[in-house]
Amino acid sequence: MEFNRILLVGALALTLMMLYQAWQQDYGPKPVAVEQAASEGAADLPGAPQSEGASVSAGGDGPSRNMLESGGRIRVVTDVINAEIDSMGGDLRRVELPAYPVSIEAKDQPFVLMSDNGDSDLFIAQSGLLAAGDAKAPSHRDAFGYEKQEYSLADGEETLVVPLVWRDEASGIEVIKRYTFTRGSYSVAVDTEVRNSGSAEWRAHPYRQLQRSEPMQESSMFMYTYTGGVIYSEEEKYEKIEFDDMRESDLKRNITGGWAAMIQHYFLSAWIPGEADNNSYYSKTADGGRYILGMFSPEMRVAAGESVTNSATLYTGPKIQDKLEVLSPGLELTVDYGFLTIIAKPLFWLLQLIHGVVGNWGWAIILLTVLIKAAFYKLSAASYKSMAQMRKLQPKLQSLKERYGDDRQAMGEQMMKLYREEKINPLGGCLPILVQIPVFIALYWMLMESVELRQAPFMFWIQDLSIADPYFVLPIIMGATMLIQHKLNPTPMDPMQAKVMMVLPIVFTFFFLFFPAGLVLYWVVNNT
């Protein structure tokens, strides 16, 4: 019986299937049915964020449907962010990341994370106040005043404050929205201060939201990555709110602390309230294929003659785990390693540690592979020993097949008797491989999701470990090593199994033509 061979083929096929399907499907937890929000749900508040249809400017006819109204632009330059804030609503409308060029061929062109260039390429951060009763308050549809159009973080300065002001003379209310940028940080503090110089108490609900269009999926069929909404709560932990989910129903959830984010491959933007703040999280769809994910806070009360400030953090940048973990619990999970996070995170920690010593991600992958092989040495040795014994046993197995080939039951009994006599475990060569498959899958996700490997060079023609080998050298070498391994292993007696095993290196080579060079490098070293 060639059950060990069948198991091996199944294991390798399972590896391919999981690699393919894991990125074609959303492997994260599906959002559970949301509870009805408290009585002050977003849709029940006067002026609550609704679907963004045509807005009407104060001067008469508004812009065409599905377009955001725009005012003056305020440009902000720090050492890590180039940003644009629009005076209409005080929205953050554009974010460029100079440290992350669009490609290794265009190093002077920064990656654009947020933009309002058009309905098909929309991704912005908004915040505002929802007035209670007859009070007036600035939402993301109201214009703010500003002091100047250009702000730049000067040498020696650690922070850069950009203020915007809205006033209602009749009620004596002044609202100051402050963006505070910090040197070396992708976190922006957004404070909304309300000053009440009137004679009556003023009340409103602060809200924050991310709005974006559904982008065209640029990933290849072999390297799918999730783009969409994510929320986090202590009760439900990390939850994906897909664009499909937003179309089907509006999210309504009361959460203490947590955060709401729109994520994509390597990058994210997230609103992070205070850990003790209780917010009502919501999602909405907008005209023109746009989606809104946000939160609004309990009522903010400002007595006459007083001032109150509401604060939140907006992170907009790369998925750097160390920085995300410090910002808010669970934010590092946006580096989505899937259900094998428990394996992938330690692997990345070890990879980072090695990189800190050798200074090259390619060599770090090679050394990590050696360490993984060392960790599985006994299992691998048992596997190789079992295969070598099976190879020596091939003539006897062939003789049994010739003698009992037509009697499957007798053939199976004689084979098991032979295994006992020779003290061979027919599964000994396969079970160690099955144990190692989760490690390989976890490593795949780790190499795919870690922004640290984006555009990381190795040597010679491999100048970006996060994309496929441009000349397919590594996949071909990998295929050759698999073919050599096939030749060293015992040939299955079943002709069909033999053909499958022969074709497998070719199939793997084809798949790996499209995989990140870093992953193929791991497999080449592992095989060699």
Side-chain angles (χ1 to χ4, degrees):
M1 181 176 62
E2 288 288 335
F3 183 70
N4 60 331
R5 278 294 182 177
I6 296 173
L7 188 59
L8 177 59
V9 172
L12 294 175
L14 178 64
T15 301
L16 284 176
M17 181 186 70
M18 290 183 71
L19 288 174
Y20 176 74
Q21 290 185 344
W23 293 104
Q24 290 296 331
Q25 300 173 356
D26 176 13
Y27 49 77
K30 295 289 185 182
V32 297
V34 299
E35 299 176 358
Q36 185 69 25
S39 59
E40 52 179 10
D44 300 326
L45 282 172
Q50 302 293 334
S51 295
E52 300 274 339
S55 58
V56 180
S57 64
D61 293 338
S64 61
R65 287 182 64 83
N66 305 334
M67 292 184 64
L68 293 169
E69 194 171 355
S70 184
R73 284 296 173 112
I74 305 164
R75 293 173 177 81
V76 184
V77 177
T78 75
D79 57 328
V80 295
I81 290 177
N82 298 336
E84 291 184 11
I85 300 169
D86 200 292
S87 64
M88 183 56 64
D91 299 346
L92 185 62
R93 295 284 182 95
R94 187 174 180 87
V95 173
E96 298 177 350
L97 307 176
Y100 294 87
V102 293
S103 68
I104 56 176
E105 292 82 15
K107 289 190 175 295
D108 295 332
Q109 186 178 348
F111 177 79
V112 178
L113 175 56
M114 305 186 83
S115 170
D116 63 344
N117 281 343
D119 293 332
S120 61
D121 187 25
L122 176 70
F123 187 11
I124 62 174
Q126 300 174 309
S127 60
L129 295 164
L130 306 176
D134 296 329
K136 290 185 178 180
S139 72
H140 59 279
R141 298 188 184 94
D142 292 289
F144 281 75
Y146 52 96
E147 297 175 359
K148 53 183 182 178
Q149 291 183 318
E150 301 282 346
Y151 288 84
S152 181
L153 186 66
D155 293 339
E157 291 184 342
E158 291 301 314
T159 59
L160 179 63
V161 180
V162 181
L164 299 96
V165 180
W166 176 92
R167 294 185 180 91
D168 179 42
E169 300 294 343
S171 62
I173 297 297
E174 181 180 62
V175 177
I176 305 171
K177 183 183 293 189
R178 296 186 184 91
Y179 285 88
T180 302
F181 297 82
T182 303
R183 182 175 296 278
S185 177
Y186 296 97
S187 298
V188 183
V190 183
D191 301 317
T192 303
E193 180 185 1
V194 179
R195 298 175 181 175
N196 186 356
S197 61
S199 58
E201 182 185 59
W202 178 92
R203 296 178 295 118
H205 290 261
Y207 69 91
R208 296 160 287 274
Q209 63 186 29
L210 297 164
Q211 183 179 162
R212 77 171 300 167
S213 55
E214 185 171 3
M216 296 292 293
Q217 184 57 256
E218 296 180 354
S219 302
S220 74
M221 63 182 294
F222 301 102
M223 295 187 294
Y224 171 81
T225 55
Y226 176 74
T227 298
V230 180
I231 64 172
Y232 182 88
S233 64
E234 280 300 317
E235 296 76 24
E236 302 295 341
K237 304 302 181 183
Y238 182 86
E239 295 179 76
K240 290 179 179 176
I241 311 297
E242 299 184 34
F243 295 125
D244 288 342
D245 299 324
M246 296 185 200
R247 282 195 294 268
E248 291 174 4
S249 62
D250 292 344
L251 170 71
K252 294 180 181 179
R253 181 87 59 81
N254 282 346
I255 296 174
T256 299
W259 45 263
M262 290 281 194
I263 71 172
Q264 61 194 66
H265 196 201
Y266 294 135
F267 303 98
L268 81 154
S269 292
W271 278 111
I272 308 165
E275 289 188 21
D277 293 351
N278 184 275
N279 289 278
S280 294
Y281 284 63
Y282 61 85
S283 70
K284 289 182 178 293
T285 56
D287 296 332
R290 291 176 292 149
Y291 303 85
I292 299 168
L293 181 63
M295 65 191 77
F296 69 94
S297 304
E299 193 172 65
M300 182 180 183
R301 294 173 177 264
V302 186
E306 294 185 358
S307 66
V308 176
T309 300
N310 182 270
S311 301
T313 299
L314 175 63
Y315 182 91
T316 179
K319 297 178 184 177
I320 302 174
Q321 295 181 57
D322 296 342
K323 294 183 178 181
L324 297 178
E325 197 168 7
V326 172
L327 273 178
S328 182
L331 194 59
E332 76 281 0
L333 295 177
T334 54
V335 184
D336 202 337
Y337 295 146
F339 65 91
L340 289 175
T341 296
I342 193 172
I343 300 175
K345 287 191 72 172
L347 285 177
F348 179 73
W349 175 85
L350 184 56
L351 184 68
Q352 254 189 329
L353 192 66
I354 298 170
H355 176 262
V357 176
V358 300
N360 181 288
W361 288 106
W363 287 108
I365 291 172
I366 291 173
L367 293 175
L368 176 65
T369 307
V370 173
L371 291 177
I372 292 174
K373 292 296 287 184
F376 286 108
Y377 172 75
K378 289 189 176 181
L379 283 173
S380 298
S383 175
Y384 300 147
K385 183 178 180 180
S386 176
M387 288 182 181
Q389 290 173 330
M390 289 295 294
R391 188 177 182 87
K392 290 181 180 179
L393 211 60
Q394 282 298 106
K396 293 182 180 180
L397 291 172
Q398 187 63 35
S399 176
L400 288 177
K401 183 181 180 182
E402 292 173 358
R403 189 181 308 174
Y404 301 102
D406 296 332
D407 189 341
R408 287 185 174 273
Q409 183 176 352
M411 176 71 175
E413 292 174 354
Q414 291 299 317
M415 286 177 65
M416 295 307 297
K417 180 180 178 182
L418 181 61
Y419 291 147
R420 287 193 297 270
E421 291 174 353
E422 298 292 338
K423 298 180 179 179
I424 295 176
N425 180 2
L427 301 180
C430 300
L431 292 179
I433 294 176
L434 287 175
V435 172
Q436 296 179 56
I437 284 177
V439 176
F440 172 75
I441 301 292
L443 186 71
Y444 170 75
W445 283 335
M446 185 264 283
L447 294 176
M448 276 290 296
E449 275 289 299
S450 300
V451 70
E452 289 82 357
L453 272 70
R454 181 181 183 268
Q455 298 178 10
F458 176 35
M459 61 180 184
F460 304 131
W461 70 96
I462 305 293
Q463 293 300 309
D464 187 349
L465 289 165
S466 67
I467 63 174
D469 182 338
Y471 301 112
F472 308 121
V473 175
L474 285 178
I476 292 172
I477 295 175
M478 190 239 17
T481 59
M482 286 194 69
L483 190 60
I484 293 172
Q485 283 182 323
H486 168 71
K487 295 296 184 182
L488 291 175
N489 290 331
T491 304
M493 290 186 296
D494 186 340
M496 181 58 68
Q497 288 185 36
K499 290 180 180 178
V500 170
M501 295 302 295
M502 187 65 187
V503 170
L504 214 53
I506 300 173
V507 174
F508 263 68
T509 300
F510 173 75
F511 268 76
F512 274 71
L513 292 176
F514 308 96
F515 281 5
L519 181 71
V520 186
L521 177 63
Y522 162 79
W523 194 289
V524 167
V525 176
N526 185 73
N527 284 1
T528 304

